[in-house]
Amino acid sequence: MSSSEYTFKLVQVCLPEPSKLVVMCDKRKRQCVCLCQVYKSCLDGLLPNYQAFYRVCSRLTKHQSTLLSGQDKQLLVALAGMDVSVPHVAVVSLAVCCRALKLCKVPAAVLHAFDDIRLKPASQVVLGLPEHILAAHAQPSPNPVQLQMTTPFPVTLPECALPADFKKQHGLLAKLHKHLVHRAVLAQHMGEFKSFSTSPFQLNRKGIAHSSRTWQNSEKHVYLFLGYCHHYQQVSQPTLQLFLSSPLIAQFVSFHIAAGHSQLYIRNFLSCAKCVLRWWQSKPGGNHPSFVAGLEWLQTLGLQVADQLPRPSKDPKGLADIGKWMCAADLVHTIHGAEQQSQAQMQQQGVTVETSRDMHDAALAAMIFSHLPPVRLSCIRSLVGPAYLGPCLHPDCKEPSCEGNRLSIMSESPLLMRISLPHHKNARKWGKAVIEFDVPSDLAQLLHTYLGAPRKALLEHHLLIGDACPYVFMDMHGRGFVAAAVLTLYWQKWLVSRGGVPMNPSMCRQVFVDERQSDSATAGPSNQGAAMVMGHSVKQWDKWYDMQYHPRLAQNAVDGMQSWRAAMLQSHTLAAPDLTLSTALHCGHVLVSDSEESRYQSCCSDSDSDIDIELD
């Protein structure tokens, strides 16, 4: 589509959700420019709000950008399906756009796509088009009339020799730009599979709907499998039809085993494969008997993987030897020192970016451990501050009045803060019961100080989000810890800087339970109450968190045997009971007779009665 000044081209890039961007070629200057602000739904899932990307571009160009209006804007609205209420549309050079995308840390596939366009501005290659544009040029469905799995099923796993580059990322997203022509088919498959998995009511699906986190994990496993098939098995068209090939699944499992991946990771992939097969089974022509056999084959494979690849046993001593464990006392002392130092520096140096970041880190560490029973990290990452008045940010929340996981200030004098966690791992099992408690005074004072001038200084310093960040804690770029891996790396780096070891923050739960269950445990909270704040039950302590449960019980039993043995020896020194047999008391029917035969018969009768009683 053309106008007097520009040639427009709509492209679609692969993100967690497909996003549309408009690439424009300037006819007069023969330069490729890119639309940096399209419409709100375009950048949902790419950034927390669509204005952040525009702000980055504005700062890079020093606010010198081109505004579209008139016929150009009308053509843009018609092509991209924009809302006509968009106040203005700005364009910047594609080089600036690429720099902004790198600052925003978007997936590599987006950067590769823009690099291709920048190097070949006259190319007519289109990454993908929305459905209303593709309808006139729809490709035939790749689904055969009769769906079935590849048979016979492998009876054993094939041998796998690790390739030299197996450490390289083999996900499909990283190599999307190399086979973009197949994007439309794969996008169609993924859209249908997501709708099948996440719809609240899907009666031809087994089980309940996937949560947003479960869907993200399933999507990750799908792309890793398709990337493996494309990269290592030379499959030219990576689509969800590859899950119908049992040999490819067997080879992928062998690849994971050879790479030393955990059995939990492999079993999660097999669970995802079963979900994909059930989706194929729900489609027209998916009633072939091979699907039933394929699901049983995957179930058997998962059970044998769990049996042959057991979970490695861990103990505090072994983790301490490799630098992955700190005892509870050392961890509390480290966090307490960080709190005191941050407050002292704030008083001496005032509110600066450095002192504000130190206080932020101390408050984050105090939330993870020390003042509270270790709350789940997902709850800490999603905790919003008192100033946030918007709707709940949890992607699966359907309650209109829900305020999300929130830190609230109940009163200023005396200071009282409260934490409410309606969204935790076991919320559904507990009947949507909310984990709610008042914050201890020391922690409340630290959080109250941080939420004032220090947090404002951090928001003003960071480039991307500004004051729009609703979460209490943020990374080095001013964004919330949306990804769990980001918080893990952030915590490890901070803990090492404080003289600790690079221990995972989730390991703090094991550290706490290890101290509470030890024989030398100090006075503290009740186990049942602490487990409630942690979001589980005391039974889970013994099963998952207490790494010394079995050896401690065994040692306590052996130690207890010594007192039992001493009691047995002491009882032996008592007077022995009189064991003299009295025939008159022994049996009333014994007859005194000089005949040996009479005495023999009476004894036999008495013995038979004893045997009957023992058998009964």
Side-chain angles (χ1 to χ4, degrees):
M1 184 176 296
S2 301
S3 69
S4 59
E5 298 183 7
Y6 299 99
T7 298
F8 293 84
K9 184 165 54 178
L10 180 65
V11 300
Q12 182 171 320
V13 293
C14 180
L15 296 165
E17 295 291 340
S19 298
K20 306 166 188 174
L21 298 175
V22 175
V23 175
M24 306 159 55
C25 294
D26 191 326
K27 290 182 177 179
R28 296 176 299 175
K29 299 180 180 180
R30 295 184 178 180
Q31 294 178 350
C32 184
V33 293
C34 175
L35 183 71
C36 77
Q37 179 182 341
V38 187
Y39 51 96
K40 185 177 185 302
S41 61
C42 167
L43 295 176
D44 283 349
L46 176 62
L47 292 173
N49 61 62
Y50 75 104
Q51 293 181 347
F53 181 47
Y54 175 70
R55 291 182 56 194
V56 175
C57 292
S58 297
R59 293 200 180 190
L60 290 176
T61 58
K62 299 180 180 180
H63 304 281
Q64 296 177 359
S65 56
T66 303
L67 295 181
L68 293 183
S69 60
Q71 183 181 6
D72 295 333
K73 183 175 179 179
Q74 293 177 5
L75 291 172
L76 186 61
V77 170
L79 177 64
M82 290 175 52
D83 187 354
V84 293
S85 62
V86 174
H88 63 274
V89 178
V91 294
V92 297
S93 68
L94 197 62
V96 172
C97 182
C98 291
R99 290 177 57 194
L101 290 173
K102 290 180 180 179
L103 289 176
C104 296
K105 293 187 176 180
V106 300
V110 182
L111 300 179
H112 292 316
F114 280 105
D115 285 339
D116 288 346
I117 298 173
R118 180 170 56 86
L119 296 176
K120 297 177 292 185
S123 174
Q124 297 301 316
V125 176
V126 179
L127 306 186
L129 294 174
E131 295 181 359
H132 68 276
I133 295 180
L134 278 177
H137 307 282
Q139 300 179 5
S141 173
N143 305 337
V145 177
Q146 183 68 35
L147 296 172
Q148 67 180 62
M149 292 194 67
T150 304
T151 54
F153 297 100
V155 296
T156 185
L157 292 180
E159 295 291 335
C160 178
L162 286 178
D165 59 344
F166 85 98
K167 290 185 179 180
K168 294 181 180 179
Q169 186 177 2
H170 57 271
L172 187 62
L173 285 175
K175 307 180 187 306
L176 184 65
H177 62 288
K178 294 185 179 180
H179 38 80
L180 300 173
V181 69
H182 311 298
R183 171 60 188 163
V185 177
L186 180 58
Q188 175 189 352
H189 283 179
M190 291 301 295
E192 294 178 3
F193 178 48
K194 181 179 181 179
S195 176
F196 175 82
S197 302
T198 60
S199 297
F201 296 99
Q202 189 75 31
L203 302 185
N204 58 350
R205 178 195 64 216
K206 183 178 180 181
I208 61 178
H210 285 4
S211 64
S212 58
R213 183 175 180 180
T214 303
W215 166 251
Q216 290 174 2
N217 292 333
S218 299
E219 188 180 38
K220 176 190 67 176
H221 285 294
V222 167
Y223 281 126
L224 288 175
F225 173 66
L226 298 183
Y228 166 82
C229 295
H230 173 76
H231 186 61
Y232 293 118
Q233 301 298 328
Q234 288 75 47
V235 177
S236 59
Q237 298 186 12
T239 65
L240 292 191
Q241 278 190 262
L242 297 180
F243 281 89
L244 302 179
S245 174
S246 54
L248 282 178
I249 295 178
Q251 291 171 0
F252 188 53
V253 172
S254 296
F255 170 79
H256 279 305
I257 295 176
H261 297 158
S262 65
Q263 58 101 350
L264 181 62
Y265 188 85
I266 301 175
R267 294 181 67 188
N268 286 340
F269 162 72
L270 294 176
S271 298
C272 174
K274 288 190 286 187
C275 293
V276 176
L277 288 187
R278 292 191 180 99
W279 168 69
W280 280 117
Q281 200 174 17
S282 67
K283 297 178 71 65
N287 56 353
H288 196 272
S290 61
F291 282 100
V292 178
L295 292 172
E296 294 179 355
W297 179 77
L298 289 174
Q299 180 72 15
T300 302
L301 180 56
L303 293 175
Q304 295 187 7
V305 165
D307 178 66
Q308 296 300 318
L309 301 175
R311 295 170 62 95
S313 59
K314 299 178 181 179
D315 63 277
K317 184 180 182 304
L319 292 173
D321 292 340
I322 62 176
K324 296 293 184 180
W325 180 268
M326 292 179 65
C327 68
D330 293 342
L331 200 52
V332 170
H333 179 75
T334 300
I335 296 175
H336 180 66
E339 296 177 33
Q340 291 184 325
Q341 181 179 354
S342 64
Q343 293 174 352
Q345 289 180 349
M346 188 67 66
Q347 293 177 357
Q348 296 173 3
Q349 304 177 19
V351 178
T352 65
V353 175
E354 290 74 17
T355 58
S356 300
R357 176 57 63 177
D358 289 341
M359 180 161 285
H360 166 276
D361 296 345
L364 175 60
M367 280 288 297
I368 293 177
F369 198 76
S370 181
H371 291 274
L372 306 173
V375 184
R376 290 189 183 276
L377 298 179
S378 58
C379 297
I380 296 178
R381 291 188 289 108
S382 60
L383 194 67
V384 297
Y388 178 71
L389 303 177
C392 177
L393 299 178
H394 194 277
D396 298 325
C397 183
K398 299 178 177 62
E399 298 292 337
S401 60
C402 180
E403 296 181 348
N405 295 340
R406 176 175 292 273
L407 173 65
S408 305
I409 299 178
M410 309 305 296
S411 66
E412 293 284 353
S413 180
L415 180 60
L416 177 61
M417 304 184 76
R418 180 171 298 171
I419 292 179
S420 300
L421 304 175
H423 298 294
H424 53 91
K425 185 176 181 180
N426 289 323
R428 181 181 295 173
K429 295 181 180 179
W430 292 4
K432 297 184 179 180
V434 179
I435 300 176
E436 189 174 55
F437 51 87
D438 294 338
V439 181
S441 57
D442 292 343
L443 178 58
Q445 187 61 49
L446 178 64
L447 290 172
H448 188 266
T449 305
Y450 157 69
L451 291 174
R455 186 171 187 271
K456 183 179 180 181
L458 290 179
L459 292 174
E460 292 176 352
H461 170 73
H462 292 305
L463 177 66
L464 293 181
I465 304 303
D467 55 1
C469 181
Y471 300 105
V472 174
F473 303 106
M474 64 190 78
D475 61 10
M476 296 299 293
H477 299 279
R479 298 170 298 192
F481 293 100
V482 179
V486 177
L487 178 58
T488 298
L489 295 176
Y490 190 94
W491 162 271
Q492 289 178 338
K493 184 178 179 179
W494 176 85
L495 196 58
V496 170
S497 69
R498 302 295 307 180
V501 298
M503 181 180 70
N504 289 343
S506 60
M507 192 64 68
C508 293
R509 297 164 71 85
Q510 279 85 344
V511 172
F512 176 77
V513 172
D514 179 75
E515 194 280 331
R516 299 309 305 151
Q517 295 288 77
S518 65
D519 297 332
S520 59
T522 58
S526 65
N527 291 348
Q528 186 175 3
M532 181 70 67
V533 175
M534 296 172 66
H536 53 231
S537 63
V538 179
K539 293 182 179 179
Q540 295 297 105
W541 286 18
D542 301 336
K543 187 176 182 181
W544 296 109
Y545 293 97
D546 188 1
M547 294 185 289
Q548 299 190 81
Y549 175 73
H550 295 93
R552 183 176 60 254
L553 287 184
Q555 187 62 51
N556 291 342
V558 172
D559 295 341
M561 283 296 296
Q562 307 314 307
S563 59
W564 176 84
R565 178 176 177 272
M568 294 296 102
L569 292 176
Q570 185 178 3
S571 65
H572 185 71
T573 61
L574 300 178
D578 186 7
L579 300 179
T580 305
L581 180 62
S582 173
T583 54
L585 297 176
H586 178 65
C587 184
H589 68 269
V590 175
L591 301 177
V592 179
S593 174
D594 293 337
S595 172
E596 295 293 337
E597 182 178 359
S598 300
R599 286 198 298 271
Y600 174 75
Q601 290 176 353
S602 64
C603 290
C604 287
S605 175
D606 187 64
S607 299
D608 291 341
S609 300
D610 290 342
I611 292 175
D612 292 340
I613 293 174
E614 290 177 0
L615 291 178
D616 292 339

